[in-house]
Amino acid sequence: MPRLRFSLRTFLLLLFVASLIGSNLFTTWQLRQLRQENADMQKQLGRLVVTDRNKINLVAVPTYEEMMWRWRIYVPRTPALFVCGSAHEIPQTGFPAGHGATNLPEGEYVLTAAIRRDRHGNWQLTIAHRNGSGSFGISDEDAGWLVDSPGWGTTQAGVNGTELLDPNTPIELLRVRAAEKLAGGGSQSSSSPTGPGVVLWFKKQ
């Protein structure tokens, strides 16, 4: 059986091609790793990357404070939007009929929601942005879970990175539902159709 023979030139050429392929594969892997690290860093820092100016672009920003939530958001020029809020009988899905609302300005800025007591000791849900703020009072009956609850479950838009949302349909921004106490002293997520908590959502005017 005849042996395959390679000249030194052929060997060097093959070695060069193999090195080129290997280098290209390694560079591709490095770029993929860097993109993933960049995406993870943007997520941790809450950096907003606007990719579609016809939609709501938002990303959650860590606050490390109880009962405070923050987003970096881009709001398109049309349609005009409200951010709506309710703290009365929060359903598992959907939105309550009775709610407060405040205008949501167009452009890119930070949107903050917080539940705090005012100077009179009354609970309020406040929505703040670059043009000002709006507050919704929370009745003593609806605020009971804020001082006597074993915990709560939270669903927040934008926690997994920038989200693109259709401004023409109602969009959930935040849903918090108080947990239920168990007889043994523990707690579990509420299974009732409605219950104490708070919900925020976007709705076009």
Side-chain angles (χ1 to χ4, degrees):
M1 187 172 180
R3 285 185 175 182
L4 293 175
R5 294 180 178 273
F6 295 95
S7 67
L8 180 59
R9 179 180 295 179
T10 302
F11 173 75
L12 292 176
L13 180 60
L14 291 173
L15 184 61
F16 173 74
V17 172
S19 298
L20 191 62
I21 293 173
S23 176
N24 186 60
L25 290 174
F26 180 70
T27 301
T28 300
W29 176 81
Q30 277 189 316
L31 286 173
R32 189 179 297 114
Q33 290 292 107
L34 288 172
R35 288 193 188 100
Q36 184 60 49
E37 290 175 7
N38 186 49
D40 291 341
M41 185 176 295
Q42 288 182 6
K43 177 181 173 182
Q44 292 173 11
L45 297 175
R47 182 185 174 195
L48 178 65
V49 179
V50 178
T51 57
D52 188 339
R53 294 190 172 273
N54 294 315
K55 292 185 178 181
I56 299 171
N57 295 240
L58 67 78
V59 63
V61 179
T63 62
Y64 308 107
E65 292 186 48
E66 282 193 349
M67 294 301 160
M68 176 180 284
W69 304 270
R70 185 168 287 147
W71 301 264
R72 294 189 188 280
I73 185 172
Y74 168 79
V75 178
R77 179 170 297 180
T78 56
L81 294 173
F82 284 123
V83 58
C84 305
S86 177
H88 177 70
E89 293 299 314
I90 305 305
Q92 293 188 22
T93 59
F95 308 114
H99 58 267
T102 186
N103 290 322
L104 199 62
E106 65 182 73
E108 186 175 338
Y109 50 89
V110 173
L111 179 67
T112 301
I115 298 176
R116 296 288 187 269
R117 290 186 186 272
D118 63 16
R119 66 180 184 276
H120 302 295
N122 300 316
W123 288 101
Q124 287 193 331
L125 168 62
T126 299
I127 310 297
H129 46 68
R130 68 180 183 190
N131 287 6
S133 64
S135 295
F136 316 111
I138 303 175
S139 69
D140 291 340
E141 180 182 359
D142 291 328
W145 67 281
L146 293 168
V147 293
D148 185 27
S149 170
W152 50 85
T154 303
T155 303
Q156 182 181 1
V159 294
N160 293 317
T162 301
E163 291 189 29
L164 301 179
L165 307 172
D166 183 0
N168 293 295
T169 59
I171 303 163
E172 181 178 315
L173 179 63
L174 175 74
R175 189 181 303 266
V176 181
R177 296 241 307 164
E180 297 175 336
K181 293 181 179 179
L182 297 176
S187 64
Q188 67 177 11
S189 299
S190 176
S191 58
S192 60
T194 61
V198 64
V199 63
L200 298 176
W201 69 100
F202 299 132
K203 183 177 72 171
K204 67 179 181 180
Q205 297 183 21

